[in-house]
Amino acid sequence: MTTSLHFLVAGGGIGGLAAAYVLGRRGHTVTVLEQSAAFGEIGAGIQLGPNIFRMFDYLGLTEAINEVAYFPPGLGMNDVRTGEKVVRVALGDAARAAYGFAYGVIYRADLHQVLLDACRRTPGVELRTDSKVESFSQDSRGVTVQLTSGAALKGDALLGADGLWSRVRQAIVGDGKPRVSGHIAYRAVLKREDVPAHLWSDDVLLWGGEKTHLVHYPLRRGELFNLVAVFHSDKYEEGWNTFGDTAELHQRFADAVPQVRELLGKIETWKMWVLCDREPVKNWTDRRATLLGDAAHPMLQYLAQGAGQAIEDAVVLGEAIEHARGDVEQAFQHYQRARYLRTGRVQLTARFYGDIYHASGVARELRNSLFQSGKESAGFAGLKWMYEGIDPQQLFNA
């Protein structure tokens, strides 16, 4: 590294902390501005594809992740109304053989904690709470961030990692509210002892049906059982921590097979969120300010890549800054050019997979036929481009 810079990071979620860690370990000074009173992560489990484990390896975080992750033996899909097995793909050694890295699942809070601990160990990373970014301005020498508290901070550059409703994005892209998908998700976690043996599955298992699906898998080495139920709805409420309507959930899954209905009945309280994304954009940078994660390319959860793409962003950003030798504006342009097509492809493919999971009629039959064929273009195999991931050190060598 030739130049030490001071980065301001709006948002202390997975993407913001990943970026802070990447930049801090390269010798830069980083100030993370988290709007909440404490650092933490809302949500339940998330899936981690091999492309994300490639990033953990690059960042030296594999051991810490492995201590809290769970590695399912398979990834399967059943029909939620008939119980028919649509497809099952072996993971474990098969995923490592195919992609070089594992496929795992993790409690979102555990992933966030690993990154938070890494930042706390890294000199030059300052973590600030109660620091919501209101606005920012910039000139040729740097960026000034105005907080809602009235305080102002100066740095060499600003990273907007402030999520789906990003204020930094509105200043750069200005595309208004997110796109509401019409799908709503309910999430909950059970202790292992609360799951009857006949309902337990070591696999990541998705029950897909017309305008509904349920996905479940173990967490924390099998100590917990994560459930996410998704259905089509006209409801819209911002945020990630609203209580769900249990009666509506059971109504939507009234035609599901008995084991699905029994499993849903084990949960008394659900948290819900409305699934939103945005249209992919080619530019999310304005001179010394750029975006990453959901602020740059929010996506539906159907490929389980939101956190993973944010971590990839952070790694590529670090490489771009190194490659540009401290020229922030040039680095940010390199970074987004290296990312926008890949992240845009994930955004659009996630929408498509939402349609696939919720298919009916001829679309359902076609889905089942393609997934069961095992052909390279279908299902898990058809996502090879995504799971192979990126080699950050080769991005800017040409």
Side-chain angles (χ1 to χ4, degrees):
M1 189 187 70
T2 57
T3 304
S4 178
L5 301 167
H6 180 200
F7 291 91
L8 304 174
V9 179
I14 288 170
L17 292 183
Y21 175 59
V22 166
L23 297 171
R25 74 199 294 255
R26 288 185 175 274
H28 298 291
T29 300
V30 187
T31 303
V32 180
L33 304 170
E34 167 56 38
Q35 66 176 347
S36 302
F39 281 91
E41 186 64 44
I42 296 171
I46 55 175
Q47 299 177 52
L48 302 173
N51 59 307
I52 311 173
F53 279 91
R54 181 183 293 274
M55 297 298 96
F56 294 147
D57 181 67
Y58 174 85
L59 295 173
L61 296 175
T62 300
E63 184 177 349
I65 292 293
N66 287 351
E67 288 180 359
V68 290
Y70 174 82
F71 297 94
L75 180 69
M77 181 178 182
N78 294 347
D79 190 291
V80 76
R81 296 191 178 184
T82 67
E84 173 191 1
K85 176 182 172 182
V86 177
V87 69
R88 182 184 185 274
V89 177
L91 296 177
D93 291 340
R96 291 183 179 90
Y99 303 112
F101 293 90
Y103 190 106
V105 295
I106 196 169
Y107 209 9
R108 183 180 289 271
D110 291 343
L111 172 56
H112 186 268
Q113 189 65 50
V114 167
L115 293 169
L116 185 62
D117 291 343
C119 285
R120 286 172 172 160
R121 293 192 304 267
T122 304
V125 176
E126 179 189 7
L127 302 168
R128 294 182 50 156
T129 57
D130 293 311
S131 301
K132 184 176 183 178
V133 173
E134 175 70 27
S135 61
F136 70 93
S137 59
Q138 59 180 310
D139 56 29
S140 60
R141 294 171 295 177
V143 175
T144 300
V145 166
Q146 194 74 33
L147 304 182
T148 54
S149 65
L153 292 88
K154 293 182 180 295
D156 293 302
L158 171 65
L159 308 181
D162 48 344
L164 180 64
W165 297 276
S166 168
R167 293 196 176 194
V168 181
R169 181 187 179 98
Q170 290 315 309
I172 295 174
V173 182
D175 54 353
K177 291 184 176 181
R179 169 187 173 272
V180 180
S181 69
H183 305 176
I184 193 168
Y186 281 40
R187 67 178 188 272
V189 176
L190 286 169
K191 294 181 180 178
R192 176 161 192 155
E193 56 266 30
D194 294 331
V195 183
H198 68 283
L199 298 179
W200 182 272
S201 172
D202 290 334
D203 285 351
V204 174
L205 185 56
L206 184 145
W207 299 82
E210 183 178 354
K211 297 185 177 181
T212 58
H213 84 261
L214 170 69
V215 63
H216 56 70
Y217 48 82
L219 287 174
R220 286 185 176 165
R221 297 186 178 273
E223 298 170 12
L224 301 173
F225 200 61
N226 184 70
L227 299 96
V228 179
V230 178
F231 53 88
H232 292 208
S233 174
D234 294 330
K235 286 186 177 180
Y236 177 70
E237 189 166 350
E238 291 187 4
W240 293 77
N241 211 29
T242 303
F243 287 102
D245 181 346
T246 305
E248 182 181 15
L249 176 70
H250 290 301
Q251 178 186 357
R252 300 287 184 170
F253 283 85
D255 295 331
V257 292
Q259 57 264 50
V260 167
R261 297 200 309 273
E262 183 181 354
L263 193 52
L264 294 176
K266 296 290 180 182
I267 306 293
E268 294 182 2
T269 302
W270 295 84
K271 292 295 182 71
M272 60 154 277
W273 77 99
V274 176
L275 303 180
C276 300
D277 66 358
R278 292 182 184 273
E279 296 300 326
V281 294
K282 185 173 183 176
N283 179 71
W284 59 64
T285 296
D286 178 14
R287 294 169 289 164
R288 290 175 170 268
T290 195
L291 307 173
L292 60 81
D294 282 350
H297 42 71
M299 52 193 62
L300 301 182
Q301 96 291 5
Y302 296 111
L303 294 181
Q305 280 287 313
Q309 292 303 309
I311 293 170
E312 282 190 6
D313 283 350
V315 170
V316 174
L317 181 64
E319 289 292 328
I321 291 166
E322 188 80 2
H323 177 73
R325 298 186 179 275
D327 184 331
V328 168
E329 295 189 31
Q330 185 184 78
F332 285 177
Q333 291 298 321
H334 289 330
Y335 152 68
Q336 72 174 15
R337 278 198 299 269
R339 294 298 292 157
Y340 81 89
L341 285 176
R342 176 169 170 82
T343 57
R345 186 177 183 182
V346 179
Q347 286 176 284
L348 297 177
T349 306
R351 291 182 187 176
F352 174 61
Y353 268 67
D355 293 337
I356 288 176
Y357 294 157
H358 296 170
S360 61
V362 173
R364 170 187 171 276
E365 291 185 40
L366 179 62
R367 174 200 69 195
N368 292 1
S369 175
L370 286 173
F371 277 30
Q372 291 165 356
S373 73
K375 292 180 180 177
E376 189 170 323
S377 61
F380 187 77
L383 298 174
K384 182 177 180 180
W385 61 269
M386 186 175 75
Y387 288 133
E388 282 183 333
I390 58 171
D391 183 348
Q393 294 174 313
Q394 298 301 316
L395 286 170
F396 305 111
N397 286 347

